[in-house]
Amino acid sequence: MSRRGSILHTRTHWLLLGLALLCSLVFMYLLQCAPQTDGNAPLPGFVGDNYGKEYYQALLQEQEEHYQTRATSLKRQIAQLKQELQEMNEKMRSLQEKKNSGANGVGYQASKDQAPGDLLEFLHSQIDKAEVSIGAKLPSEYGVIPFESFTLMKVFQLEMGLTRHPEEKPVRKDKRDELVEVIEAGLEVINNPDEDDEQEDEEGPLGEKLMFNENDFIEGYYRTEKDKGTQYELFFKKADLMEYRHVTLFRPFGPLMKVKSEMIDIARSIINIIVPLAGRTEAFAQFMQNFRDVCIHQDKRIHLTVVYFGKEGLSQVKSILESVTSESNFHNYTLVSLNEEFNRGRGLNVGARAWDKGEVLMFFCDVDIYFSAEFLNSCRLNSEPGKKVFYPVVFSLYNPAIVYANQDSPPPVEQQLVHKKDSGFWRDFGFGMTCQYRSDFLAIGGFDMEVKGWGGEDVHLYRKYLHGDLIVLRTPVPGLFHLWHEKHCADELTPEQYRMCIQSKAMNEASHSLLGMMVFREEIERHLHKQAYRTNSEALV
């Protein structure tokens, strides 16, 4: 068969396949939009609960919005398929005309400038060129395209734009539709796997096929390479199972295409949390309170390594660790004592090498960090030895004395952990909190010991990973907080380090609006005094 005949045969095959998909989607759309026939089905809730009219109206409105969103998604997919079929017909017509002209004696030869003959091949080439399966070598941290994370209800974003909200419900309809479509596509991949997917069919408790739904969606990440497309990383999990389902999707400025689907078992994945410390025993006691609640009582797959610098305060640290041991029967910790000046990079290097049990996932953490059990699972899911390191963006809390100045005293720490623009900010310039495997850390050479004092060593390590072949996943995560504390910038720092320290100190105090209220406090008080005087004068008249 000639090349032109083969191409025509391929086009006919794709046309028939597209028509079949179009009919299927139309049928699904009709099913989704059909009204329910079971008029006796009870409304959600427990029998005997007294719900008001407003409750049922809100419930009906929520259901209506859900079906409208689903219908809109199906309409969009149908329109997209129609457009693709029309383009396919035009290409087939063009090929037929060229074939006929060749049969009439007019020669036809393929040109190198010709558009790709196979649309599917072109879309796959977009995936191959994108940073999906392998990391790209980047010149600096400014070349990184960060991910933004999302759940079923919220998006955690770095580039806030006009809204200026680090956490929000998607306001734009196209963004809501996009995320709904992505989650639905991920569920389709999991529930109807291909032969090449790295997962096995599982059965439910009654022997039926295990099916996932949107309530099993845990979290997702997405980012866009502007000349290639958008990458989506989705994680699903059944409440009674330990395994997670991970689906990678890519939109090469066209239809969504599956990159891979795999099962991730983190049931036995231990995290070695390494904390460098000097003094600050009160902060360490607060850290261990959070550690006890999250790591000992909830996660239970943690080893703690504390690298302590100096002698002063060492006995208090030992006492705190022994107290936790006696109360919780927790013995999975290592205390390393270094009688030298504090150096964070040095402490983390020593802590990483103190582990002598082979490969392990490490979380480099500071004593003023609050993390949740969900974050620990994110740490496990987004790190892979020889493949991927995780650099979460921390949400840094402002000075509670300023944020809660209108209250008698700041609320407990647990109540301060909210993602609001006046309570904190995404610390997108910080690279200290990171999850990576020990083998990757040692292979890249660890921290640069020439860097002294505050800051700098984290950026050096981050850049080393960027210069290598590992995928660097950077995204804001909702379960990681930097608690406010007084920051001191030492005179011994270099001018560059001192500038970075002062900049960080200024950004840590309060939001722009709250700082503005403090700066113009006297002006505001004068205005209030004038208003009160004017009101009293008018009352006397």
Side-chain angles (χ1 to χ4, degrees), residues 276-513:
L277 184 63
R280 303 195 62 190
T281 55
E282 291 184 2
F284 183 69
Q286 184 181 45
F287 173 86
M288 289 305 300
Q289 178 62 46
N290 177 48
F291 183 89
R292 181 191 294 107
D293 296 340
V294 173
C295 299
I296 300 178
H297 295 160
Q298 297 183 49
D299 192 274
K300 302 178 182 179
R301 294 164 290 168
I302 299 296
H303 186 93
L304 175 65
T305 300
V306 179
V307 181
Y308 194 84
F309 289 82
K311 296 297 184 181
E312 184 177 355
L314 179 60
S315 60
Q316 289 95 316
V317 170
K318 289 181 179 179
S319 176
I320 293 171
L321 289 172
E322 291 171 356
S323 175
V324 172
T325 298
S326 61
E327 293 175 5
S328 307
N329 195 27
F330 176 78
H331 300 278
N332 296 330
Y333 71 89
T334 301
L335 176 61
V336 180
S337 176
L338 298 178
N339 191 18
E340 53 190 77
E341 184 181 355
F342 179 80
N343 182 301
R344 187 175 187 273
R346 160 82 169 147
L348 293 173
N349 274 347
V350 170
R353 288 173 170 79
W355 178 270
D356 58 359
K357 301 176 184 178
E359 183 68 290
V360 70
L361 176 59
M362 304 183 301
F363 170 39
F364 294 159
C365 186
D366 287 345
V367 72
D368 46 28
I369 292 295
Y370 183 100
F371 54 86
S372 67
E374 290 75 17
F375 165 74
L376 295 176
N377 285 333
S378 297
C379 181
R380 294 181 175 99
L381 293 170
N382 294 294
S383 305
E384 186 176 346
K387 184 71 175 291
K388 186 164 53 177
V389 295
F390 187 39
Y391 270 85
V393 180
V394 180
F395 193 77
S396 189
L397 298 179
Y398 291 133
N399 187 343
I402 299 177
V403 175
Y404 304 99
N406 59 340
Q407 302 182 19
D408 295 335
S409 61
V413 171
E414 290 75 15
Q415 297 180 20
Q416 300 178 30
L417 306 178
V418 292
H419 301 92
K420 304 296 182 184
K421 60 182 180 180
D422 283 336
S423 64
F425 65 99
W426 291 113
R427 187 183 283 262
D428 58 346
F429 56 85
F431 306 96
M433 308 310 117
T434 172
C435 298
Q436 54 198 278
Y437 275 86
R438 184 174 184 269
S439 58
D440 294 329
F441 178 75
L442 297 179
I444 209 168
F447 286 98
D448 185 355
M449 292 296 93
E450 297 300 320
V451 179
K452 305 294 183 182
W454 186 91
E457 78 283 346
D458 300 329
V459 179
H460 278 77
L461 179 66
Y462 184 63
R463 287 173 178 168
K464 285 202 287 187
Y465 278 120
L466 297 181
H467 296 162
D469 294 326
L470 297 184
I471 295 175
V472 179
L473 198 156
R474 179 132 174 98
T475 181
V477 292
L480 196 60
F481 293 86
H482 178 270
L483 304 180
W484 182 88
H485 61 88
E486 185 71 30
K487 186 178 292 291
H488 301 282
C489 300
D491 293 336
E492 294 77 14
L493 297 175
T494 65
E496 176 66 15
Q497 289 177 325
Y498 194 84
R499 183 191 65 81
M500 292 171 59
C501 184
I502 290 295
Q503 182 184 33
S504 176
K505 182 176 181 178
M507 293 186 65
N508 279 342
E509 288 299 310
S511 64
H512 194 162
S513 59

Side-chain angles (χ1 to χ4, degrees), residues 43 45 103 111 113 144 166 184 322 407 446 533:
L43 290 172
S111 170
D113 297 331
V144 175
E184 290 176 350
E322 291 171 356
Q407 302 182 19
Y533 178 77

